Amino acid sequence: MYSCYMREVVNHKTNVVFIRKKSNIEKSYITCEVSNNGNIKQYLLKHNQRVEANTLEREFYYKYVEWLKENWV
């Protein structure tokens, strides 16, 4: 699932969003790669760990997808 997205970011083909909790802004939480059309390409925990089903992180994923649909320009 992991891909090196640096080249795509530099070429303005994708965006990387670093999601952190308000309660611990210094700690890495989720790294999310979002394509230019607002679709999530990668959504990984620290150390490129996949987000498991039935977790708070997966619930946030679905909420974030809905937010992107409504707000991505």
Side-chain angles (χ1 to χ4, degrees):
M1 181 162 184
Y2 171 77
S3 73
C4 183
Y5 43 72
M6 185 175 81
R7 183 170 301 206
E8 290 191 7
V9 170
V10 170
N11 292 324
H12 305 285
K13 294 182 179 179
T14 195
N15 301 277
V16 178
V17 178
F18 301 101
I19 301 168
R20 297 176 183 259
K21 292 181 179 181
K22 285 183 181 181
S23 61
N24 191 356
I25 198 97
E26 299 298 321
K27 186 177 179 187
S28 177
Y29 184 50
I30 296 169
T31 302
C32 183
E33 182 183 2
V34 183
S35 67
N36 285 341
N37 63 3
N39 291 326
I40 294 177
K41 294 172 71 174
Q42 293 188 74
Y43 183 84
L44 302 169
L45 297 170
K46 64 182 179 179
H47 307 296
N48 295 320
Q49 297 175 21
R50 292 183 182 194
V51 174
E52 300 295 327
N54 302 318
T55 62
L56 292 174
E57 292 84 2
R58 181 58 68 181
E59 287 180 35
F60 181 84
Y61 170 86
Y62 293 120
K63 290 178 183 177
Y64 191 49
V65 167
E66 288 303 313
W67 186 89
L68 287 170
K69 285 180 185 177
E70 294 174 13
N71 297 284
W72 194 263
V73 180

